[in-house]
Amino acid sequence: MDNWTIEDWEREQAAEQLAAFYLFTPMCGTCAVASKMLTVIETLRPELTIGKADLNYVVQLAEDYKIESVPCLLIHRPGQPVEKIYAFQSVPYLLEKLS
């Protein structure tokens, strides 16, 4: 996963394709597990557009999307509101969400 800025996220949304933005903090143990799950997903579905950012460095994004906790996965689908996922239940669950 590439590190994204808010501008990168906005550019991916403007591209009108499925895109996901993974938000985490370095000291979050649950985030470490979520990161590993997303690494597996990247291996299985390399065509997916997924970026990541330490939430400490994209505070405006946290405010704009009313992020309640980390880990958080923002999913953009063309023509739909951005979906927020906080519970990364399993790799199959996330793959289904990213379909």
Side-chain angles (χ1 to χ4, degrees):
M1 272 176 289
D2 292 330
N3 286 308
W4 282 0
T5 63
I6 294 173
E7 292 78 19
D8 293 327
W9 170 238
E10 290 170 349
R11 184 176 50 253
E12 291 301 329
Q13 287 181 297
E16 289 302 314
Q17 63 183 10
L18 176 69
F21 196 10
Y22 168 56
L23 304 169
F24 67 96
T25 57
M27 298 302 291
C28 166
T30 306
C31 295
V33 173
S35 294
K36 290 176 184 175
M37 293 169 75
L38 288 170
T39 300
V40 170
I41 288 171
E42 273 192 315
T43 302
L44 295 172
R45 300 275 311 277
E47 75 281 3
L48 289 174
T49 303
I50 305 174
K52 68 178 180 176
D54 180 337
L55 195 60
N56 294 310
Y57 297 107
V58 289
V59 176
Q60 186 60 50
L61 187 84
E63 292 173 10
D64 292 347
Y65 286 92
K66 298 177 178 34
I67 304 298
E68 298 170 13
S69 65
V70 289
C72 180
L73 186 66
L74 299 176
I75 300 174
H76 166 77
R77 288 183 185 81
Q80 296 181 14
V82 171
E83 179 179 1
K84 291 185 275 191
I85 296 176
Y86 295 106
F88 291 35
Q89 299 173 16
S90 65
V91 169
Y93 171 79
L94 291 173
L95 281 170
E96 180 182 319
K97 289 293 191 177
L98 292 166
S99 295

